[in-house]
Amino acid sequence: DPGSMEMRGREPVVGRDALAGQLGTLGLTMAPSAGNFLFLNLQRPNDTVAEGLLARGVLVKPWKEAGYEQFIRVSIGSPEDNALFLQAFKEVMELAD
């Protein structure tokens, strides 16, 4: 069905924008994105955040390139996946403060 296919095509964009908005309320910034991911500036080293997320079952890509050691790439998933990421992310960031 073309209508449901179009809706599934928009779902990651809606999820990305919603997640970006929620992360923005936490005072974090991210690079503009037209894809199914966010490139998020943690404003702290990314290794401990990525490890804390992994311990909670959430996999992100910590950037290792010089000058970007405070960034992670977060893929957009289902609304449930995004909610799991956001909850785990808030927990990890509170522990990192």
Side-chain angles (χ1 to χ4, degrees):
D1 168 13
S4 65
M5 187 186 268
E6 181 181 330
M7 187 61 156
R8 283 193 306 271
R10 273 192 302 225
E11 193 171 286
V13 173
V14 172
R16 180 196 67 222
D17 293 347
L19 187 56
Q22 292 167 319
L23 291 167
T25 66
L26 301 176
L28 298 172
T29 59
M30 58 216 80
S33 177
N36 67 336
F37 64 89
L38 294 172
F39 195 56
L40 181 61
N41 184 350
L42 301 173
Q43 302 165 356
R44 67 188 72 207
N46 62 25
D47 52 353
T48 55
V49 175
E51 289 168 13
L53 288 169
L54 184 58
R56 288 163 176 78
V58 176
L59 184 63
V60 297
K61 179 174 178 41
W63 226 251
K64 300 297 183 188
E65 202 170 312
Y68 293 93
E69 298 91 347
Q70 294 186 331
F71 287 80
I72 60 172
R73 178 183 161 147
V74 178
S75 294
I76 304 304
S78 69
E80 296 80 16
D81 291 338
N82 295 344
L84 175 68
F85 162 76
L86 191 59
Q87 180 59 42
F89 182 76
K90 287 178 180 178
E91 290 173 12
V92 169
M93 292 299 279
E94 285 176 13
L95 292 174
D97 282 339

